[in-house]
Amino acid sequence: MANLLLPLLLAPAFLRLARMNSVMWFRRDLRLHDNPALAAADSHGEKTACMVMIDSALWPTWGAAKQAYLVDSLSSLDASLDGKLIVRHGDPIEEVLSVAKAANATKVFCAADFTTPGIERDQKVKDVLAANGIEFEIVGSNYAVAPGRVNKPDGTPYKVYTPFYKNWLVHGWRAPLEMNLSRNWISDVESDGLPVVQMPAGMERSVAGEAAALERFDAFLKTGVKSYKDLRDRADVDGTSRLSVALKWGEIHPRTILAELGESEGEETFRKEIAWREFYADVLFHNPHTVTEYLNPAFANMEYNSGELADQHFDAWKQGKTGYPFVDAGMRQLLQEGWMHNRVRMVVASFFVKDLHLEWQQGAAWFFELLKDADVASNQHGWQWTAGCGTDASPYFRIFNPITQGLKFDPNGKYVRKYIPELRHIDGAAVHEPWDQGDGYANGYAKRIVDHATELDESLRRYSEIKK
Ligand SMILES: Cc1cc2nc3c(=O)[nH]c(=O)nc-3n(C[C@H](O)[C@H](O)[C@H](O)COP(=O)(O)OP(=O)(O)OC[C@H]3O[C@@H](n4cnc5c(N)ncnc54)[C@H](O)[C@@H]3O)c2cc1C
């Protein structure tokens, strides 16, 4: 009888032993609200080790503003986790396993990464964990509707935004997840700590983290969204949500945003912009080669400039010294803040490809290095759209005039004066045309490196060559 009872008596202890720990690997989901991967990790094990990677292959390629933002966001995440965030520097393939072993974990959880390098890395992590008897599970993603889910009735992917948007609405998305975390974080696993980032002189550190993102969204809902439709293109006004950085790092989930949006014109326009982010992720998912290659391959055969003069032009563009005030203000905003207004992104990208005749990939790489919101899908396809080789329905004829765009979207010249000290002596809209002012160049502002009218014709000539 005693022999028969023994297994029953031992069972609870056995079950307790079997219930091992988990690892939550934070990547682009630096938040505690509405985080399905974190909820799954928390409910899987007795205790959860929360980790993040400073990937040694990526980190050195980023500009200071971008690095500083991530460090500040991780610092905020660490505070929400009661100081228990485990930071590892190096190669995720080795470090995730090392944390999982040290935490005595049976399973590692994280949210999906849809980029090709991300998918490949995750497969390697999965294999190495499996070889050590540890499971790897991907739960949720950084999108309301994961890439690949919204397709045409015949099952093929959309190539144009508007029908994608309509079907994306029909597909719909889940409500934000209620979180009931046990908060049993593991604290005795070695952490390398957060890197220290010095901001270059003149560059301001912005407020990062989940709480700041939720606050920003709340403020935008209360005041900004009403006028969003009318003001979103104005570079001189704070008329957009500025949530791109928070969305990039997953400090807020798009579901959380969408759940709060009603049917007013401003809210409808805003929902459409959130959908652009999802559309580009979908386009990249189906066309992974377009990180570097032309979506419309005909454009690879177009004539582009190269050589010493082209390098000088590239440099002038990067430094905000092309002589076109609206372009230069945008490029200096990027240098100073690691962010740029959407309208100006389009204008500087168009200038790069259609006035300087340089290939979009070079410009996109510069953006990627500096933008705090750098997102491979939105960036590469924002560039391809503007270059005319992407998803724009009326492509190459959309050549932005850098002067009229400035006059329209910075009508009093406030944006230009903010970023270009050499032009602050010129009042009003005249700042967009310093060549017409007697003292326009008095403070050393750059002369125009090309003539827009000439380059417009040249651009159309090159385009007609590939159309033949
Ligand atoms: C050449 C070029 C490069 C770009 N690179 C990036 C990038 O690396 N990362 C990035 O997040 N956005 C990129 N964009 C899109 C857009 O410029 C930014 O998302 C926007 O300026 C962010 O400001 P906001 O949050 O105030 O936008 P809001 O106007 O408040 O829009 C709300 C959100 O919608 C999304 N969104 C808005 N417009 C677009 C768009 N055109 N494409 C995709 N998503 C959009 C963003 O997530 C944004 O935060 C790029 C656009 C261009 C033309």
Side-chain angles (χ1 to χ4, degrees):
M1 184 66 176
N3 278 355
L4 284 175
L5 279 176
L6 197 62
L8 286 176
L9 291 171
L10 288 178
F14 217 81
L15 281 176
R16 256 202 317 279
L17 273 179
R19 199 170 140 74
M20 300 285 267
N21 298 329
S22 62
V23 171
M24 168 62 194
W25 177 16
F26 285 95
R27 287 119 62 108
R28 286 182 53 177
D29 52 351
L30 308 182
R31 63 177 187 280
L32 265 56
H33 287 95
D34 188 12
N35 189 331
L38 177 62
D42 184 68
S43 63
H44 169 79
E46 195 97 325
K47 286 181 152 201
T48 302
C50 295
M51 74 167 294
V52 72
M53 282 301 310
I54 301 292
D55 190 325
S56 51
L58 299 176
W59 182 254
T61 66
W62 295 355
K66 192 167 157 184
Q67 289 182 337
Y69 190 88
L70 181 60
V71 166
D72 292 347
S73 184
L74 292 177
S75 175
S76 151
L77 179 68
D78 184 39
S80 323
L81 294 166
D82 314 319
K84 307 277 171 59
L85 182 65
I86 300 154
V87 183
R88 288 292 179 96
H89 300 200
D91 182 350
I93 297 158
E94 290 162 17
E95 298 302 327
V96 175
L97 174 65
S98 158
V99 171
K101 278 181 166 175
N104 212 6
T106 50
K107 203 162 179 177
V108 174
F109 293 84
C110 61
D113 180 340
F114 294 98
T115 63
T116 304
I119 292 168
E120 287 171 2
R121 176 207 54 216
D122 287 352
Q123 188 56 50
K124 287 182 187 154
V125 170
K126 185 178 178 176
D127 291 346
V128 104
L129 289 172
N132 286 273
I134 302 165
E135 285 180 82
F136 180 69
E137 189 176 340
I138 290 174
V139 185
S141 79
N142 200 6
Y143 299 98
V145 182
R149 293 253 173 95
V150 177
N151 292 310
K152 291 185 198 167
D154 66 3
T156 59
Y158 284 103
K159 292 185 178 143
V160 178
Y161 168 78
T162 306
F164 170 89
Y165 175 66
K166 286 184 183 149
N167 203 6
W168 177 79
L169 286 177
V170 172
H171 181 286
W173 41 84
R174 292 198 179 110
L177 182 70
E178 284 290 331
M179 304 287 284
N180 294 304
L181 297 171
S182 62
R183 304 186 68 91
N184 283 330
W185 318 128
I186 290 176
S187 58
D188 56 356
V189 171
E190 196 186 326
S191 171
D192 298 333
L194 288 170
V196 175
V197 181
Q198 299 293 345
M199 292 290 274
M203 210 183 251
E204 281 173 28
R205 247 179 142 111
S206 46
V207 187
E210 181 177 13
L214 291 170
E215 237 172 73
R216 175 158 268 280
F217 178 49
D218 194 45
F220 180 70
L221 273 185
K222 283 188 182 128
T223 52
V225 79
K226 283 188 203 79
S227 48
Y228 181 71
K229 186 168 185 281
D230 299 327
L231 295 182
R232 57 178 291 268
D233 275 320
R234 285 280 295 270
D236 57 329
V237 173
D238 192 12
T240 66
S241 72
R242 292 239 186 180
L243 281 167
S244 56
V245 191
L247 279 163
K248 190 245 144 79
W249 294 110
E251 295 165 344
I252 189 167
H253 196 280
R255 253 189 323 252
T256 309
I257 293 176
L258 292 165
E260 298 298 323
L261 296 181
E263 298 304 323
S264 71
E265 273 198 329
E267 287 161 305
E268 173 65 10
T269 311
F270 191 62
R271 188 161 35 240
K272 283 185 174 153
E273 295 308 316
I274 298 290
W276 270 106
R277 177 177 176 273
E278 308 239 332
F279 173 60
Y280 283 151
D282 190 72
V283 172
L284 187 67
F285 177 74
H286 289 290
N287 304 278
H289 62 288
T290 59
V291 170
T292 49
E293 289 173 34
Y294 291 83
L295 183 68
N296 179 345
F299 280 75
N301 300 321
M302 198 152 83
E303 189 187 333
Y304 296 100
N305 288 0
S306 60
E308 207 176 309
L309 185 61
D311 291 347
Q312 283 169 15
H313 284 171
F314 187 15
D315 219 45
W317 177 83
K318 287 201 276 193
Q319 301 311 320
K321 291 185 177 169
T322 67
Y324 285 90
F326 200 49
V327 172
D328 292 342
M331 296 310 295
R332 295 196 202 183
Q333 181 176 28
L334 178 63
L335 282 170
Q336 281 173 36
E337 298 172 11
W339 189 85
M340 196 194 296
H341 188 279
N342 179 60
R343 169 59 49 176
V344 197
R345 290 188 206 204
M346 291 195 282
V347 173
V348 305
S350 174
F351 186 82
F352 189 82
V353 178
K354 295 171 185 174
D355 288 69
L356 302 182
H357 316 293
L358 299 171
E359 292 197 78
W360 69 265
Q361 295 91 332
Q362 291 175 279
W366 180 246
F367 264 39
F368 205 84
E369 190 178 326
L370 294 188
L371 278 175
K372 289 183 290 194
D373 64 22
D375 169 87
V376 73
S378 295
N379 189 48
Q380 310 310 79
H381 280 284
W383 271 90
Q384 297 230 36
W385 186 95
T386 318
C389 54
T391 56
D392 188 359
S394 56
Y396 210 72
F397 295 103
R398 201 192 297 274
I399 297 181
F400 289 102
N401 179 320
I403 306 156
T404 52
Q405 286 284 311
L407 291 166
K408 192 165 175 196
F409 299 112
D410 177 29
N412 301 311
K414 198 174 137 197
Y415 178 75
V416 163
R417 277 186 297 279
K418 179 171 179 188
Y419 293 103
I420 309 185
E422 307 98 282
L423 293 176
R424 283 189 191 141
H425 62 291
I426 307 178
D427 291 334
V431 77
H432 289 289
E433 294 165 287
W435 44 87
D436 280 348
Q437 309 302 310
D439 63 350
Y441 295 101
N443 296 323
Y445 181 60
K447 294 271 169 62
R448 283 173 283 185
I449 56 171
V450 291
D451 173 57
H452 175 67
T454 310
E455 302 312 330
L456 185 136
D457 289 346
E458 176 60 12
S459 222
L460 293 173
R461 183 194 68 74
R462 294 185 190 203
Y463 181 56
S464 68
E465 290 295 316
I466 61 163
K467 288 290 275 180
K468 274 180 195 164

